[in-house]
């Protein structure tokens, strides 16, 4: 979903067909995200994809979560009980019964936070564990049921190339 073509921001939803090795555009309904970039898209369940944060053309940092039902191609906005701060250039993983979000930034600063979004419960919580001393944005974040890894990114003043490991039991 979305992105930046270099000329304009996009709000297209595209699917890659593994068998034909081709992309095709999906027609969606409902109230989806505006054209955005610097957001994260992640599956939140077997039949839905979440789009979290990003930057619009204003440029405003987005604090919304949008859900796309992949069986009906209908968008809805998730209203959390506790509102998230606007965020962009962050990372997200579908893990441990929720969506784990790390780092990112706002217009003011690089963030050093780890959140667990519980889509079904319409809330999020801050995960209190030891994190890298500086925040990160534009980094990689991968994981499995045992460990998550943060690699590289921008810490607010320079590019980094270190790896930070998080044990998933703490999530």
């Amino acid at each position: 979903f979305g992105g930046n073509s270099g000329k304009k921001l996009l709000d297209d939803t595209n699917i890659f067909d593994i068998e034909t090795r081709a992309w095709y555009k999906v027609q969606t309904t409902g109230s989806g995200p505006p054209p955005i970039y610097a957001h994260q898209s992640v599956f939140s369940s077997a039949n839905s994809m979440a789009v979290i944060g990003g930057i619009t053309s204003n440029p405003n940092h987005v604090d919304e979560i949008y859900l796309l039902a992949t069986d009906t191609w209908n968008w809805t906005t998730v209203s959390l009980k506790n509102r998230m701060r606007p965020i962009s250039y962050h990372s997200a993983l579908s893990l441990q019964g929720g969506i784990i979000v790390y780092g990112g930034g706002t217009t003011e600063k690089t963030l050093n936070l780890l959140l667990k979004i519980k889509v079904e419960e319409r809330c999020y919580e801050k995960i209190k564990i030891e994190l890298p001393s500086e925040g990160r944005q534009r980094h990689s974040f991968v994981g499995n049921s045992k460990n998550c890894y943060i690699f590289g990114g921008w810490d607010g003043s320079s590019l980094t190339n270190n790896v930070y490991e998080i044990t998933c039991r703490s999530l």
Side-chain angles (χ1 to χ4, degrees), residues 30-92:
S31 180
I36 56 172
Y37 70 102
H39 60 286
Q40 284 294 304
S41 299
V42 63
F43 277 98
S44 62
S45 71
N47 294 322
S48 67
M49 177 184 76
V51 172
I52 305 162
I55 302 174
T56 64
S57 61
N58 293 1
N60 287 331
H61 291 253
V62 177
D63 61 355
E64 301 281 73
I65 299 173
Y66 299 91
L67 261 168
L68 177 63
T70 56
D71 52 351
T72 62
W73 302 113
N74 186 62
W75 285 103
T76 56
T77 303
V78 177
S79 298
L80 297 178
K81 296 172 190 168
N82 49 344
R83 192 149 183 104
M84 279 183 23
R85 71 182 307 157
I87 190 171
S88 59
Y89 295 112
H90 52 292
S91 56

Side-chain angles (χ1 to χ4, degrees), residues 2-11 34-37 55-58:
N4 187 340
S5 73
K7 296 180 182 177
K8 69 176 190 167
L9 298 185
L10 306 173
D11 63 354
I36 56 172
Y37 70 102
I55 302 174
T56 64
S57 61
N58 293 1

Side-chain angles (χ1 to χ4, degrees), residues 57-159:
S57 61
N58 293 1
N60 287 331
H61 291 253
V62 177
D63 61 355
E64 301 281 73
I65 299 173
Y66 299 91
L67 261 168
L68 177 63
T70 56
D71 52 351
T72 62
W73 302 113
N74 186 62
W75 285 103
T76 56
T77 303
V78 177
S79 298
L80 297 178
K81 296 172 190 168
N82 49 344
R83 192 149 183 104
M84 279 183 23
R85 71 182 307 157
I87 190 171
S88 59
Y89 295 112
H90 52 292
S91 56
L93 292 173
S94 183
L95 200 62
Q96 307 288 11
I99 299 172
I100 309 299
V101 175
Y102 174 72
T106 66
T107 52
E108 297 89 37
K109 65 180 181 174
T110 297
L111 301 174
N112 191 26
L113 57 90
L114 189 65
L115 305 174
K116 183 174 186 177
I117 301 170
K118 299 176 181 180
V119 176
E120 298 300 321
E121 297 174 34
R122 305 278 196 238
C123 67
Y124 77 91
E125 61 188 22
K126 290 182 182 176
I127 300 171
K128 295 182 174 135
I129 62 170
E130 184 180 337
L131 294 169
S133 58
E134 70 286 336
R136 298 282 172 92
Q137 55 178 299
R138 304 169 196 217
H139 55 279
S140 297
F141 186 44
V142 297
N144 57 33
S145 60
K146 294 182 181 180
N147 297 303
C148 297
Y149 300 92
I150 301 164
F151 171 72
W154 175 256
D155 68 7
S157 62
S158 63
L159 293 173

Side-chain angles (χ1 to χ4, degrees), residues 1-3 8 10-14 25-26 35 75:
F1 174 82
K8 69 176 190 167
L10 306 173
D11 63 354
D12 301 343
T13 303
N14 295 287
K25 187 174 179 177
V26 176
W75 285 103

